[in-house]
Amino acid sequence: MKTKKQNYSHLSPKQPIGIFDSGVGGLTVAKEIKRLLPNEDLIYFGDTKHLPYGEKSKEAIIEYSTKISNFLLEQNCKAIVIACNTATANALKEVMLSVAGKVPVIDVINPVAEKVSYEIHNNVGVIATKATVNSGLYKKSIRKHNKFIKVDELATPLLVPAIEEGFKNHPITHSIIYNYLSNAKLKNIETLILGCTHYPLLIDEIKQYYGNRVRVIDSPNIVANHLTIILDKYHLLNENNPKPNYKFYLSDITKNFEKISKKFFGKTIDLELKVL
């Protein structure tokens, strides 16, 4: 997508960073942003009412994503992180048009695809939601940078509901992971991209399945690093904010979101119901 040179001189480092996802998955990205950028205020929107996005139509995903992006703009955010692979794969272009160059937009697919493309990877596997796999965006993005990499994508739709229901380290999840990762499509991979921000919540179980045979990519770290580079480029890093503020908006408040957000951000956080 060709874009004109951006000018963000109207933005201030003191403005918060906006992050959104369909549910708890984007918290893996938010947690890494908090770790790398400890002085930044964060506003998170979890669209728990409409999850999982992976089972929704492209039109619905575009509608949800653009509404949330506009809400984050109204909250005076200086950047928007689409912390959802399905929203990135199906609505990135529309979010960029909706935001209209007012703030930088960072997605979770292109930074990962670019990094993988320039490292030593021959056979790459991607597990993701149906909507992300159907878009083919990982394969297109990786092969745009390196046409010699073989990319195999597998839809793994049961993982997001299992995570949202709190089945981490549970026999149900172990069984689902085993059935998916033993699929013939992933037989010869050397590297696995977790193409959904929910999946890092299961990274230990996924690594346990593979042992040391397959490298599992830490996408949240790559995305948070990319965000840091973008904010630094436009002089938008907040370097003096010893008590950052974290705000969480949910379209439906769930116990699992409450549990994971408190684990990542501390016990004093507030969750606010916001239906757009």
Side-chain angles (χ1 to χ4, degrees):
M1 196 189 305
K2 287 187 179 178
T3 55
K4 62 181 181 180
K5 190 175 180 182
Q6 299 296 348
N7 180 357
Y8 298 120
S9 58
H10 59 287
L11 299 173
S12 161
K14 295 188 183 303
Q15 290 172 244
I17 297 166
I19 306 163
F20 78 88
D21 179 45
S22 63
V24 301
L27 289 172
T28 61
V29 177
K31 178 191 176 190
E32 199 59 22
I33 292 170
K34 172 180 175 262
R35 187 182 73 80
L36 285 181
L37 300 172
N39 295 314
E40 298 287 352
D41 292 336
L42 305 180
I43 296 178
Y44 186 98
F45 192 101
D47 195 11
T48 40
K49 182 180 178 182
H50 297 120
L51 67 86
Y53 275 14
E55 303 298 309
K56 299 290 191 294
S57 69
K58 183 178 177 73
E59 292 73 23
I61 296 164
I62 288 169
E63 181 187 349
Y64 305 149
S65 301
T66 51
K67 274 186 178 177
I68 295 167
S69 298
N70 287 325
F71 171 74
L72 292 173
L73 278 181
E74 289 166 11
Q75 302 308 302
N76 202 31
C77 290
K78 66 183 175 187
I80 293 174
V81 180
I82 308 175
C84 174
N85 286 263
T86 304
T88 296
N90 290 273
L92 176 59
K93 183 180 175 183
E94 288 77 10
V95 167
M96 302 273 284
L97 288 169
S98 177
V99 168
K102 295 186 182 83
V103 300
V105 176
I106 290 86
D107 71 88
V108 287
I109 292 181
N110 287 296
V112 176
E114 187 170 352
K115 185 169 175 60
V116 167
S117 303
Y118 293 117
E119 294 180 346
I120 301 171
H121 303 272
N122 295 313
N123 297 314
V124 174
V126 180
I127 56 172
T129 66
K130 285 180 185 175
T132 299
V133 169
N134 289 342
S135 77
L137 186 57
Y138 267 104
K139 186 178 285 190
K140 289 175 205 163
S141 300
I142 290 170
R143 290 175 66 83
K144 180 178 77 175
H145 297 288
N146 186 340
K147 64 183 179 182
F148 299 107
I149 294 180
K150 185 175 184 292
V151 182
D152 290 301
E153 298 173 287
L154 179 70
T156 51
L158 292 177
L159 287 176
V160 170
I163 292 164
E164 288 287 345
E165 290 297 326
F167 289 127
K168 189 174 181 283
N169 290 316
H170 192 282
I172 289 174
T173 315
H174 292 178
S175 177
I176 294 170
I177 289 170
Y178 178 84
N179 277 280
Y180 282 144
L181 298 186
S182 59
N183 189 289
K185 270 193 174 182
L186 303 177
K187 187 178 178 184
N188 296 313
I189 64 167
E190 303 156 328
T191 300
L192 182 69
I193 295 173
L194 306 183
C196 173
T197 52
H198 282 71
Y199 297 175
L201 291 164
L202 302 174
I203 195 166
D204 291 339
E205 292 160 82
I206 291 168
K207 283 183 174 178
Q208 190 176 4
Y209 172 86
Y210 282 120
N212 294 318
R213 302 192 314 275
V214 170
R215 178 183 173 194
V216 181
I217 299 295
D218 182 3
S219 297
N221 177 263
I222 295 169
V223 173
N225 270 297
H226 182 69
L227 170 65
T228 305
I229 291 165
I230 296 296
L231 292 180
D232 186 44
K233 177 182 177 181
Y234 294 110
H235 311 291
L236 291 173
L237 285 173
N238 193 344
E239 294 172 340
N240 185 22
N241 185 21
K243 291 187 176 178
N245 186 35
Y246 306 124
K247 293 182 77 173
F248 297 85
Y249 294 95
L250 300 179
S251 52
D252 182 31
I253 293 177
T254 66
K255 287 200 180 310
N256 193 44
F257 190 98
E258 198 169 357
K259 178 184 170 186
I260 293 174
S261 58
K262 283 184 177 177
K263 181 182 174 186
F264 285 179
F265 285 86
K267 297 193 181 301
T268 57
I269 65 158
D270 290 319
L271 305 181
E272 186 172 327
L273 183 66
K274 182 71 180 178
V275 180
L276 300 178

